[in-house]
């Protein structure tokens, strides 16, 4: 009987991690992601704060979540993609004309940042998470809410697009 | 043996995993073998590596110290790039202004509606009067058609009764009123009588009208007694003594086609109408201008 009662007893929820824990553990990663996609330090600060607020409101629900980083990244990607339309710095018309103009590959590589930001924000996030921060596909798939196979294809397409802009531009 | 080779399409499909080094052993070896033999794919491979190196080499921005110390309470500078001046106005002022603007637009719409309608009706009336002047005064250069029509009768029936009730003394009295006494040309000092006969064959009525002129002893120098053919019908423009106007009206009414004969063709169903209009044009005393219009239906 005692064994049966012990089975029925609900598990005790561990206390939610303090917000400071997220700031110290993921602060640099989140801010760097925000800054790299939004391309504007001020907007990146706003995005970081917005991400933290979402984490604060959702951390109790995620108390049993084992994949904490994937969960944090999921929130971060959502918030960043949500802010892109209003707060991201865009490539101006003048810059676009300059990027499309004839030029040598080394000259274009110097403006790699601008070419990179011509990609869709989701592709930028994908490349940053995979190739800048070296995260595993499983976490990236969770963060961007897409299957791994789709993400691999999209990464390949993004690389092909960048290659066309940098090498095949006429 | 076919499985031992990898073509360019297959290599492109596995390029992402190949670059990561996560391609399995048989596929990885085939991809390596393809790269050794395909110059184009080797070039792509080098480009991809260069791009990925550039991405990996991007500087990492650390979290600013104030934000790390107080992530939710640190005062952040507002990014002004994406916000317009209108968006920077406090929301309570903005919504109040927006609401007032909407109310103002609605009020303006309500108050302007009747005025617009009045203007529209005025323009319609103007165009209608222009239309009727065009059709009633064919020779507008002679008669100053801008003056308003003064109808004394409209249809053969009703107007005819009114006209026939008017004695010749009345007409002569009117004649006396209209005679210029001081030689000043004023509105209404001269008058033009217009008789419109609608018919499907105006040519057939010419003989009848000429007979009427003969019966009333209209002088040969009164105008074109034979009529003038113009597009849309035939016109008689005469300068006659005022006292023959009632007789002329009665005679024309007799020769006008019966309404029932051509009512199907005429939009109004009337075949004989007449008007008297005022004119600034100087007409000799005792005379009046008569325009008879045989219009083709």
């Amino acid at each position: 009987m005692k064994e049966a009662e012990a089975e029925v007893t609900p598990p005790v929820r561990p206390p939610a991690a303090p917000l400071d824990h997220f700031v110290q553990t993921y602060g640099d990663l989140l801010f760097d992601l925000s800054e790299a996609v939004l391309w504007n330090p001020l907007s990146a600060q706003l995005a970081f704060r917005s991400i933290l607020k979402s984490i604060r409101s959702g951390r109790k629900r995620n108390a049993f979540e084992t994949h904490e980083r994937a969960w944090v990244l999921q929130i971060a990607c959502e918030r960043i993609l949500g802010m892109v339309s209003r707060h991201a710095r865009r490539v101006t018309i003048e810059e676009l004309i300059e990027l499309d103009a004839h030029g040598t590959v080394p000259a274009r590589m110097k403006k790699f940042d601008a070419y990179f930001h011509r990609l869709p924000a989701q592709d930028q996030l994908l490349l940053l998470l995979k190739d800048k921060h070296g995260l595993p596909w499983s976490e990236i798939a969770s963060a961007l809410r897409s299957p791994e196979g789709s993400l691999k294809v999209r990464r390949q397409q993004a690389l092909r697009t960048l290659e066309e802009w940098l090498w095949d531009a006429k | 043996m076919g499985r031992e080779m990898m073509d360019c399409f297959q290599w492109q499909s596995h390029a992402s995993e190949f670059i990561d080094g996560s391609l399995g052993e048989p596929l990885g070896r085939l991809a390596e073998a393809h790269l050794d033999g395909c110059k184009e794919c080797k070039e792509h491979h080098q480009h991809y590596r260069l791009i990925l190196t550039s991405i990996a080499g991007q500087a990492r921005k650390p979290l600013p110290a104030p934000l790390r110390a107080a992530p939710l309470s640190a005062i952040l500078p507002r990014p002004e790039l994406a916000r317009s001046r209108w968006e920077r106005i406090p929301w309570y002022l903005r919504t109040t202004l927006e609401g007032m603007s909407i109310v103002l637009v609605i009020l303006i719409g309500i108050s302007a509606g009747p005025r617009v309608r009045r203007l529209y009706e005025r323009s319609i009336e103007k165009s209608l009067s222009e239309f009727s002047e065009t059709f009633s005064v064919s020779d507008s250069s002679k008669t100053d058609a801008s003056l308003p029509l003064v109808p004394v009768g409209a249809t053969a029936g009703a107007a005819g009764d009114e006209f026939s009730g008017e004695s010749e003394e009345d007409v002569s009295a009117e004649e006396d009123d209209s005679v210029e006494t001081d030689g000043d040309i004023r509105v209404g000092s001269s008058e033009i009588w217009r008789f419109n006969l609608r018919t499907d064959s105006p040519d057939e009525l010419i003989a009848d009208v000429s007979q009427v002129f003969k019966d009333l002893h209209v002088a040969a120098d009164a105008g074109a007694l034979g009529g003038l053919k113009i597009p849309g019908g035939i016109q008689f423009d005469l300068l006659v003594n005022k006292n023959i106007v009632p007789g002329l009206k009665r005679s024309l009414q007799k020769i006008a086609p019966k309404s029932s004969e051509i009512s199907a063709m005429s939009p109004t169903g009337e075949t004989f109408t007449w008007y008297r209009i005022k004119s600034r044009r100087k007409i000799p005393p005792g005379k009046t201008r008569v325009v008879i219009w045989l219009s083709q239906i």
Side-chain angles (χ1 to χ4, degrees), chain A residues 28 32 49 86 132 155 163, chain B residues 44 47 60 68 74 82:
Chain A
D28 289 331
D32 185 61
R49 179 169 285 178
R86 276 181 64 110
K132 188 174 180 184
R155 181 196 185 211
E163 189 198 17
Chain B
H44 282 308
H47 293 165
R60 296 191 182 202
R68 188 185 292 276

Side-chain angles (χ1 to χ4, degrees), chain B residues 95-109:
Chain B
T95 46
T96 309
L97 284 172
E98 284 170 351
M100 283 171 66
S101 310
I102 291 167
V103 170
L104 201 65
V105 167
I106 292 169
L107 286 177
I108 288 172

Side-chain angles (χ1 to χ4, degrees), chain A residues 74-88:
Chain A
Q74 198 177 70
I75 290 173
C77 290
E78 255 172 36
R79 301 306 304 163
I80 291 169
L81 290 174
M83 290 180 74
V84 161
S85 59
R86 276 181 64 110
H87 292 89

